[in-house]
Amino acid sequence: MEMDFPVINMNNLNGESRVSVLNQINDACENWGFFELVNHGIPHELMDKVEKMTKEHYRKCMEQRFKEMVASKGLDSVETEINDTDWESTFFLRHLPVSNMSEIGDLDEEYKKVMKEFAAELEKLAEEILNLLCENLGLEKGYLKKVFYGSKGPNFGTKVSNYPPCPKPELIKGLRAHTDAGGLILLFQDDKVSGLQLLKDGKWVDVPPMHHSIVINLGDQLEVITNGKYKSVMHRVIAQEDGNRMSIASFYNPGNDAVIYPAPALVEGEQEKTKLYPKFVFDDYMKLYMGLKFQAKEPRFEAMKAMESTNINMGPIATV
């Protein structure tokens, strides 16, 4: 099954293979919600630095803390399945609209500098991918970036995770199954220790680790904007008995006050397709998501529909 996983060579966008590559991306967005990029333009030397420094930071600053947390919760000796905790050690870097790097005390200056450089490359790549999606969807170039912008620009941040060896991987997940709330997710994952899986056709499928690749997945907001043409997909991380898995996931999300709704060009036209998704302010969705992250997305969409109908009765919702 791994052999079928969509891998996109971005070098091929520049020649006569462009149409074929765009079709591959479109198929991945419609049928997988995930794809893996190679030759994406981010320097491999930079990625190597990020990986080396992230693993060093975990060993120096996070590993002991994680062991103490495991001991305090008795997670290393559980006998029944744990459904309310994840076997992961994480911290979060915010890049846009305002960086929080200066507030994180245990990051050394060189690591901050490297992560800032990496974030700038990822931001550029995210906007390039969004424009490729616009091209595939028949939307004007820049449409998705504009919808995400709100009044202060997009939210862009990075969740840095380590998944240490787990003595009871059959009883506790590295990260429980969920869809991502936001827009476009760009993942730099360990190329030696696997664990990421997505749900496809009712089966869990491994996302293959590949050296120097960036894995892309679509969040709930892109499902709404495309009126369901593209889907966010349930995924999870399986804990492993051996090896410490690194995961650096960057989230290019709408701004807090961005108004999200199906793109008119995708619901209007000759056949007047039905608008299947609600219109809402991104921050309202996030507030709902925080309590329901590990549940199905459909009730979240229904709750936003109910909120939309209330807003219609009270007056028009804010627009971009």
Side-chain angles (χ1 to χ4, degrees):
M1 187 60 120
E2 271 185 22
M3 295 301 292
D4 297 328
F5 190 87
V7 177
I8 310 295
N9 183 347
M10 292 191 72
N11 271 352
N12 294 337
L13 281 165
N14 302 318
E16 55 193 35
S17 303
R18 182 178 178 84
V19 172
S20 168
V21 175
L22 285 170
N23 286 339
Q24 272 184 286
I25 293 172
N26 190 60
D27 181 73
C29 290
E30 288 186 353
N31 297 306
W32 290 81
F34 273 76
F35 51 96
E36 198 152 4
L37 299 178
V38 294
N39 296 318
H40 40 65
I42 300 178
H44 290 177
E45 309 77 52
L46 176 59
M47 297 179 82
D48 291 340
K49 264 195 220 171
V50 167
E51 179 170 3
K52 180 172 178 281
M53 296 177 90
T54 297
K55 289 180 174 178
E56 281 173 1
H57 178 265
Y58 173 74
R59 282 191 295 272
K60 192 170 69 175
C61 302
M62 310 279 291
E63 188 169 28
Q64 187 55 37
R65 228 179 290 165
F66 182 76
K67 286 176 178 173
E68 288 167 7
M69 183 277 291
V70 165
S72 71
K73 293 188 173 182
L75 294 178
D76 46 356
S77 55
V78 294
E79 299 296 333
T80 55
E81 190 169 359
I82 301 291
N83 290 313
D84 60 354
T85 303
D86 300 308
W87 189 270
E88 65 172 356
S89 168
T90 68
F91 64 95
F92 192 81
L93 300 173
R94 189 174 64 247
H95 313 300
L96 295 174
V98 180
S99 172
N100 72 342
M101 281 217 210
S102 61
E103 299 161 24
I104 302 177
D106 60 8
L107 299 183
D108 64 46
E109 288 309 311
E110 184 60 23
Y111 187 31
K112 285 180 187 174
K113 183 179 157 201
V114 166
M115 290 305 279
K116 191 174 178 181
E117 192 182 340
F118 187 47
E121 293 282 351
L122 287 167
E123 182 187 352
K124 198 165 62 179
L125 179 59
E127 292 178 357
E128 184 180 353
I129 296 299
L130 287 177
N131 274 334
L132 292 173
L133 301 192
C134 285
E135 194 172 338
N136 273 335
L137 292 161
L139 300 171
E140 64 180 286
K141 186 175 180 180
Y143 179 86
L144 290 170
K145 181 180 177 181
K146 183 179 168 191
V147 169
F148 279 24
Y149 201 83
S151 65
K152 296 177 183 171
N155 282 302
F156 183 49
T158 299
K159 179 187 174 190
V160 180
S161 306
N162 279 272
Y163 297 93
C166 178
K168 302 279 182 76
E170 72 283 1
L171 295 179
I172 186 166
K173 297 284 181 294
L175 180 60
R176 289 160 285 165
H178 63 288
T179 65
D180 289 321
L184 194 74
I185 298 83
L186 304 93
L187 170 69
F188 174 26
Q189 66 167 343
D190 205 294
D191 67 321
K192 295 181 181 66
V193 183
S194 62
L196 179 62
Q197 297 182 326
L198 64 91
L199 191 63
K200 177 166 171 55
D201 302 328
K203 292 178 182 169
W204 288 104
V205 177
D206 291 333
V207 176
M210 285 175 64
H211 198 39
H212 293 143
S213 73
I214 296 287
V215 176
I216 302 290
N217 74 281
L218 310 182
D220 294 347
Q221 307 311 303
L222 285 174
E223 179 167 336
V224 173
I225 294 167
T226 65
N227 200 40
K229 180 176 170 64
Y230 294 166
K231 296 279 198 299
S232 61
V233 168
M234 291 288 272
H235 53 284
R236 67 184 185 182
V237 176
I238 297 297
Q240 307 284 3
E241 278 189 279
D242 301 308
N244 184 34
R245 177 179 177 267
M246 178 199 77
S247 162
I248 301 174
S250 297
F251 299 80
Y252 189 100
N253 289 346
N256 288 354
D257 63 354
V259 179
I260 304 300
Y261 53 94
L266 300 180
V267 292
E268 293 164 2
E270 295 166 22
Q271 296 177 331
E272 279 297 324
K273 294 176 196 161
T274 311
K275 181 166 95 70
L276 302 173
Y277 292 82
K279 182 178 191 177
F280 53 81
V281 176
F282 178 64
D283 195 45
D284 289 339
Y285 188 85
M286 284 306 296
K287 286 172 185 166
L288 183 70
Y289 178 85
M290 294 316 291
L292 303 171
K293 175 177 177 177
F294 298 109
Q295 297 178 29
K297 63 189 169 183
E298 289 78 10
R300 299 197 292 265
F301 293 148
E302 288 303 318
M304 298 319 290
K305 271 186 189 171
M307 193 182 290
E308 181 187 21
S309 62
T310 304
N311 282 333
I312 286 168
N313 294 337
M314 291 167 61
I317 195 166
T319 53
V320 177

